[in-house]
Amino acid sequence: MNFTRWSARFPGTQRRAAARTEHAAAQAKRGEGSVPAARGGRAEPPGTGPGPERTPSTPGGGPAAPAAPAAPADPTVCGTGTGSAAALAAVPSLDLLSVREVLGCLPARVALVHGPEHRIAYVNDAYTTGFGPRPTGAAAREALPEIEELGLLPLLDQVLRSGKPRTAKNRRAPGGSSYTATCTPVEFPETDGADRSAGVLIHLADVTDHAEAVDRLRTAERRQREAVVTLQRSLLPQELEQPDDLRIAATYQPGGTEAAVGGDWYDVITLGAGRTALVIGDVMGRGVRAAAVMGQLRTAVRAYARLDLPPHEVLQLLDGLAAEIDASQIATCVYAVHDPSEGLLAYASAGHLPILVRDEDGTVRRAADPTGPPLGTGGWLHTSGTIALGPGSTAVLYTDGLVERRGEDIDEGVAALERALSGALGTPAVICDRLMRALGVDADHDDDVAVMVVQQPARIGTDAELFHNAALELLGGIEAAPRARAFAQGVLASWRFPVELCDLGVLAASELVANSLQHGTPPMRLRLRRTDRRLIIEVTDGDDHLPRRRRAEPADESGRGISIVATIASSWGTRRTPGGKAVWCEFALPGT
């Protein structure tokens, strides 16, 4: 193959060839006359210049070797410029090099193929050293197995069809090396009367070191991400508590493929007396720091929840703690408490998105204000609100990653979630999955997402027989205690409890009522509740002083009631209510 001929088909080579011809003609024309005199000198006589009239000869009479052309002086250097001229004279002229010589000097592997079968026209020395000799004229599919292993045959076809260069980056060969292949279309001139044909110049740059560095970086990033995700998930509850009256499921998905996961979290906390706290929050920012702050806030929420405080008081405590942990980290949070006896969900929000509740008929309601600023801002008094959560209802708590999208208002995302929730049926776990799919959350989602679904089942038939409520208003006076004991005895017997459990329940109710009569104020109320797993006895009154368990001395006439209740019951506790306080105890049912 004559490389001088086909190289002229590269862009710009025709112009360079024409320029060389014009340059040679100009030199010949200047050599016909005398050389002009230098500035300040004299002109040489005719015949003494380098023209054809005088040909230097060697002492033997033969012609002398042609003298190298003098390099022009560097105009930026003072003096004669002989050093610069010598340096320039040592630089080879590109016009003196053929394309074969240029390609042969390249360290990259270069091959030239032509025709639809990509027959080999040329391979350079680097290609032969790397892959071995290749026969000229053989088809690439048989003679260039490395091209097929790199998956370049379809790329060659595409370059031939389009006439445009294509590049394939980081193609890994079976031997472990990686190459970046650049395929450039080449047009061959007519040869022996044949028509022009098209070919492809294949340039394989060895990028193995770069590819290995990229693989090491990706492996390190993957391990770092796995470590951060493990930390994030370890700070979330490993298994959600399942209250008697609710069915709960939650899911968490880290965003994207980066190592910097976010600080989304959720939790379910059993408070006693059938009440359940539901928490979901989001620490702004990403990375280990956000996850660490999230873990501290979640631990603090569990501690504050044990105090059985109203939702807004829990957020008030969290607000001060968040500022102490890290004033630069802002977090949003919703803390809600479900009371099955009231059928309400009391909640307080610190800059978080509203809770959504779907009723049994499919109507979706959005929890209204109050919503305060995020945690850590300080100077704000949070308040609580309520939303009905009756039998057959489903509540959804979520973080902004579920509904927030670039270029869209977040209210549009919440509205889309409402539409998806209105038609989402099934268990809480199924609803979680359906909401994630409906909102387009997949493995490539760029933000962390946490979703918690809470259902209050509508019980009918034999299942409904396991859940009962009974209440008695206590007017005070000496007849209140006998009436409370008689009421408790009748209710527990009607619920078909064992005799031993009935006796313990009547004793606990009597002690709690006696304590309320002695230390509380009207209005007073005795409430009995049974579930499929426990018996709950609760007494409320109008005094907000919380009783505590203490050791009664032999001479004391009081102080033994709470100790008796704590001894016979599975658990007991107190809490403040909007009108006073509540004291409760629980008994585990046999077989649970």
Side-chain angles (χ1 to χ4, degrees), residues 67-294:
D74 189 350
T76 62
V77 181
C78 298
T80 59
T82 57
S84 299
L88 291 175
V91 178
S93 174
L94 185 62
D95 296 338
L96 302 178
L97 297 177
S98 67
V99 175
R100 180 187 292 273
E101 292 173 331
V102 173
L103 296 180
C105 294
L106 292 180
R109 293 160 171 80
V110 177
L112 178 67
V113 297
H114 70 94
E117 296 181 355
H118 310 299
R119 296 190 175 276
I120 302 173
Y122 167 77
V123 292
N124 70 346
D125 294 340
Y127 198 101
T128 302
T129 302
F131 298 126
R134 296 293 184 260
T136 302
R141 187 175 298 276
E142 291 80 17
L144 299 177
E146 60 277 358
I147 298 298
E148 186 172 8
E149 293 169 353
L150 292 172
L152 298 181
L153 289 178
L155 189 65
L156 297 179
D157 295 336
Q158 183 180 1
V159 171
L160 279 181
R161 288 194 304 269
S162 64
K164 297 180 180 179
R166 294 288 186 269
T167 299
K169 297 182 178 180
N170 295 336
R171 294 292 180 93
R172 187 179 297 275
S177 300
S178 296
Y179 299 92
T180 291
T182 302
C183 301
T184 306
V186 175
E187 183 179 332
F188 291 88
E190 302 88 343
T191 303
D192 298 332
D195 295 335
R196 294 181 179 181
S197 60
V200 179
L201 183 68
I202 306 170
H203 180 279
L204 299 179
D206 191 337
V207 294
T208 303
D209 293 341
H210 174 74
E212 291 177 351
V214 171
D215 289 342
R216 289 193 297 269
L217 179 60
R218 288 176 178 172
T219 301
E221 290 178 348
R222 184 177 64 254
R223 290 176 178 173
Q224 182 183 3
R225 173 178 169 78
E226 291 173 355
V228 175
V229 172
T230 301
L231 170 64
Q232 172 86 342
R233 293 191 183 278
S234 66
L235 295 174
L236 295 174
Q238 304 305 303
E239 185 176 354
L240 289 178
E241 300 179 22
Q242 294 294 334
D244 299 352
D245 298 273
L246 298 177
R247 299 292 178 265
I248 304 175
T251 184
Y252 166 75
Q253 178 173 305
T257 57
E258 299 178 358
V261 299
D264 296 17
W265 94 91
Y266 54 82
D267 208 349
V268 178
I269 308 167
T270 300
L271 301 179
R275 301 165 66 250
T276 305
L278 310 169
V279 193
I280 195 164
D282 184 5
V283 177
M284 302 304 175
R286 300 174 70 82
V288 177
R289 182 58 184 167
V293 172
M294 176 272 288

Side-chain angles (χ1 to χ4, degrees), residues 425-490:
L425 302 175
T427 64
V430 171
I431 293 178
C432 279
D433 294 339
R434 289 180 176 177
L435 294 182
M436 297 278 277
R437 290 197 302 270
L439 272 295
V441 178
D442 52 21
D444 297 327
H445 194 63
D446 60 355
D447 196 5
D448 293 47
V449 177
V451 182
M452 181 162 58
V453 175
V454 182
Q455 278 186 348
Q456 167 81 334
R459 296 182 174 87
I460 56 176
T462 56
D463 188 29
E465 294 297 323
L466 300 177
F467 293 82
H468 290 286
N469 288 283
L472 174 67
E473 300 292 336
L474 301 174
L475 302 177
I478 58 174
E479 75 281 357
R483 289 184 64 243
R485 284 193 295 270
F487 175 78
Q489 182 69 47

Side-chain angles (χ1 to χ4, degrees), residues 389-416:
L389 186 67
S393 298
T394 301
V396 177
L397 293 79
Y398 52 96
T399 57
D400 57 0
L402 181 65
V403 296
E404 189 174 21
R405 300 292 183 272
R406 291 189 178 94
E408 295 183 6
D409 191 275
I410 196 169
D411 286 336
E412 297 179 7
V414 176

Side-chain angles (χ1 to χ4, degrees), residues 465-530:
E465 294 297 323
L466 300 177
F467 293 82
H468 290 286
N469 288 283
L472 174 67
E473 300 292 336
L474 301 174
L475 302 177
I478 58 174
E479 75 281 357
R483 289 184 64 243
R485 284 193 295 270
F487 175 78
Q489 182 69 47
V491 170
L492 298 181
S494 68
W495 290 347
R496 300 178 181 178
F497 284 146
V499 175
E500 182 180 359
L501 181 58
C502 287
D503 293 340
L504 292 176
V506 171
L507 176 59
S510 177
E511 292 296 335
L512 292 181
V513 169
N515 181 80
S516 181
L517 290 172
Q518 183 174 358
H519 302 287
T521 59
M524 291 178 287
R525 187 182 188 192
L526 170 64
R527 185 164 61 185
L528 305 178
R529 175 173 173 76
R530 72 155 293 172

